[in-house]
Amino acid sequence: MFRSGDWYRPRCPVHRGTAAAKLWRRCRTSSRVGVARRGASTTGETGARIGRVKCIFCDREAPRGSLEHVFLAALGGRVATREATCVECNNAFSGLDTGDPDRHLAQCFELPRNLLSIWSGRGSPPPTIRHAGKFTDGTEFDLLPSGVPVLRPARVPDDAATQQTLQIQARDIGDAQRVAEILRARGTSHAVTSARRVSQRVPEFSVNLQFADQPCSKAAAKVALAGACLMYGNSTARTLIDVDLRGAVRFGSPGIEKFGGFDCTSPWPDEPELVAHRTTPDASPSGLEHTLLVGDVGGTAVAYVSFFSGVRFSFELGRPTGKPARGLAVDPISGGRFTLSATMPNARAHRSATYFQDNHAEIRAMVGGTITTLMQRWNDRARSERREELVAELSHALAAAENEVELESTVGAWLEKTATIERGDAWESELDPVEFSSW
């Protein structure tokens, strides 16, 4: 199965001169064109223009360009194009010479990516948050995708060889068995005398989010430039977009604040309409899309970029397009893809070089509100899943009861366990040590 931006390039198993080899080459070329079209045609354009492009950042010719995700792949961006950048510039955005804006923006949204199980546009799983917090006894836990807490992997005590009795906390039976194998490899004889499964609600914890102006603004501006290349074509985009803006994104000079950045004061395009793209015809808007809209405002082309429909940026691109506004959107959770249209505002708020500092409280509120919305979406889903787990657990226990007395006892135990965990206390249940005798 092809995903936008994926390439399947098998080795030719036959000699070049044979008819089979020619057929293989034709099939390979056909596959390349098909993938490129899927990554490029979002606004009614004629599709990908296979051939040489000039990098939007350094203006050098690049054979077919480098695959660039319009919205950051780590944030679930699945729309990609080869119309924007060369390999060298694309790779530079992951390095220190550009300030590594992509990595910074991805880290800003690490917690929502984890909680909402957002897979990257390259197919990488959601991040696990290491050392997310501690229980009251000091035991650390991680957050697996979907916000699932698990203990940190168990460690073998340094004095294990000299102790008569060891008490080891493990995240699961497999983790406990791993510790037992380490002890055995060290020549330490042991036997499991007791085992307990502990269920406990995770205590509250805090995550510090740092949305720095320069790297976030550069990452958002890169979205605008790559998206313009996708929607208008490489040649038109390079004519349209101010060369200084391209230099600000790639080389840091002039400063990106000259063209835009975080925007919590400008009028926003009215009621953008999202229409499912032909590649995801059944997609429905969730209200958490990443969006890009480009259109003319006051004689200048302006790009409006938002992440999770809440964290907003705007940038002056350069000369007007002379065309109706064009846009695209991606749902980072479902993978749904949309075309976007809207009525552009009549004006854009004046921006000074100190806009971020002057409006820091408003920007902080905008970002905080978006994170709160994302957390609430996760909380609603987590509560629903928790209810399903509790019902399934009770149903399984009731099915094992053989008479009314056992039914009543089962319901009572289930209620006690649920109440104990919801209070934040630990619920312990004994395990049969015989199960661990083979260790």
Side-chain angles (χ1 to χ4, degrees):
M1 179 182 70
F2 283 114
R3 291 188 304 272
S4 177
D6 285 354
W7 290 91
Y8 175 56
R9 303 182 67 178
R11 291 183 178 274
C12 180
V14 292
H15 295 292
R16 291 189 177 186
T18 65
K22 294 178 182 178
L23 176 62
W24 176 82
R25 286 196 293 273
R26 284 201 300 272
C27 291
R28 185 180 66 171
T29 302
S30 175
S31 295
R32 288 182 177 182
V33 173
V35 173
R37 285 184 182 275
R38 289 192 63 185
S41 56
T42 61
T43 58
E45 294 293 307
T46 56
R49 288 153 290 278
I50 303 301
R52 301 181 72 86
V53 302
K54 283 190 175 181
C55 177
I56 191 68
F57 300 109
C58 68
D59 217 32
R60 288 180 298 189
E61 286 195 355
R64 299 198 64 256
S66 176
L67 190 68
E68 170 71 15
H69 286 78
V70 176
F71 299 104
L72 186 61
L75 298 186
R78 293 168 175 82
V79 179
T81 180
R82 291 187 181 274
E83 289 280 301
T85 181
C86 65
V87 173
E88 181 179 342
C89 286
N90 196 354
N91 292 339
F93 285 105
S94 298
L96 296 178
D97 60 329
T98 60
D100 205 358
D102 289 351
R103 183 180 62 84
H104 180 84
L105 187 64
Q107 288 181 339
C108 290
F109 290 105
E110 183 180 42
L111 182 60
R113 289 163 55 208
N114 169 282
L115 298 180
L116 297 174
S117 291
I118 296 175
W119 285 68
S120 82
R122 294 187 174 90
S124 299
T128 292
I129 299 181
R130 314 271 181 200
H131 307 282
K134 295 181 179 181
F135 289 100
T136 53
D137 63 357
T139 305
E140 288 189 306
F141 62 86
D142 297 336
L143 281 184
L144 299 182
S146 293
V148 177
V150 294
L151 291 180
R152 295 283 301 159
R155 297 181 59 184
V156 178
D158 295 334
D159 58 352
T162 61
Q163 294 296 317
Q164 294 293 325
T165 303
L166 293 177
Q167 184 174 355
I168 298 174
Q169 291 183 326
R171 61 168 53 175
D172 52 33
I173 291 179
D175 190 32
Q177 189 168 13
R178 177 185 61 82
V179 174
E181 292 173 353
I182 293 175
L183 291 172
R184 187 183 303 111
R186 294 181 179 179
T188 302
S189 60
H190 61 274
V192 178
T193 58
S194 64
R196 290 173 295 171
R197 176 178 281 110
V198 180
S199 300
Q200 187 174 7
R201 188 174 182 176
V202 171
E204 292 185 0
F205 63 95
S206 61
V207 176
N208 187 25
L209 302 177
Q210 297 283 346
F211 283 79
D213 182 24
Q214 289 287 322
C216 286
S217 295
K218 289 177 68 174
K222 188 159 76 77
V223 169
L225 269 59
C229 289
L230 174 63
M231 295 187 291
Y232 294 95
N234 177 267
S235 178
T236 301
R238 286 188 295 105
T239 303
L240 169 73
I241 299 171
D242 191 322
V243 66
D244 283 345
L245 171 58
R246 294 186 255 160
V249 176
R250 171 65 174 86
F251 304 104
S253 179
I256 191 66
E257 66 276 2
K258 176 182 177 182
F259 305 93
F262 283 98
D263 194 338
C264 60
T265 57
S266 293
W268 210 251
D270 293 336
E271 297 297 329
E273 180 183 3
L274 277 69
V275 178
H277 188 260
R278 60 180 177 78
T279 56
T280 57
D282 298 326
S284 298
S286 67
L288 299 179
E289 289 78 21
H290 305 321
T291 64
L292 166 65
L293 190 68
V294 177
D296 297 338
V297 178
T300 303
V302 176
Y304 295 89
V305 180
S306 72
F307 297 103
F308 297 104
S309 296
V311 180
R312 294 177 169 182
F313 300 79
S314 69
F315 302 92
E316 289 188 3
L317 298 183
R319 56 183 296 184
T321 66
K323 300 179 181 180
R326 300 181 184 182
L328 57 96
V330 172
D331 186 334
I333 300 174
S334 69
R337 181 174 168 184
F338 307 87
T339 56
L340 185 65
S341 60
T343 300
M344 302 298 282
N346 295 322
R348 177 169 172 262
H350 172 73
R351 296 184 63 92
S352 67
T354 58
Y355 180 91
F356 184 79
Q357 292 81 1
D358 297 341
N359 296 275
H360 187 263
E362 292 79 4
I363 293 172
R364 184 187 180 108
M366 175 181 68
V367 173
T370 302
I371 297 297
T372 298
T373 298
L374 296 172
M375 294 285 287
Q376 186 60 53
R377 183 70 62 93
W378 166 77
N379 189 53
D380 293 343
R381 189 172 71 180
R383 286 183 178 276
S384 176
E385 292 174 352
R386 176 60 177 162
R387 285 194 296 268
E388 293 176 0
E389 290 175 0
L390 290 173
V391 170
E393 180 182 339
L394 178 59
S395 299
H396 180 75
L398 291 176
E402 297 181 354
N403 51 58
E404 290 189 6
V405 174
E406 289 187 2
L407 284 173
E408 184 176 349
S409 175
T410 297
V411 172
W414 179 84
L415 289 173
E416 183 182 1
K417 174 184 176 181
T418 302
T420 299
I421 294 174
E422 289 302 311
R423 286 198 307 268
D425 297 330
W427 177 266
E428 300 183 3
S429 54
E430 295 291 335
L431 299 176
D432 188 355
V434 175
E435 297 182 21
F436 310 100
S437 59
S438 62
W439 292 9

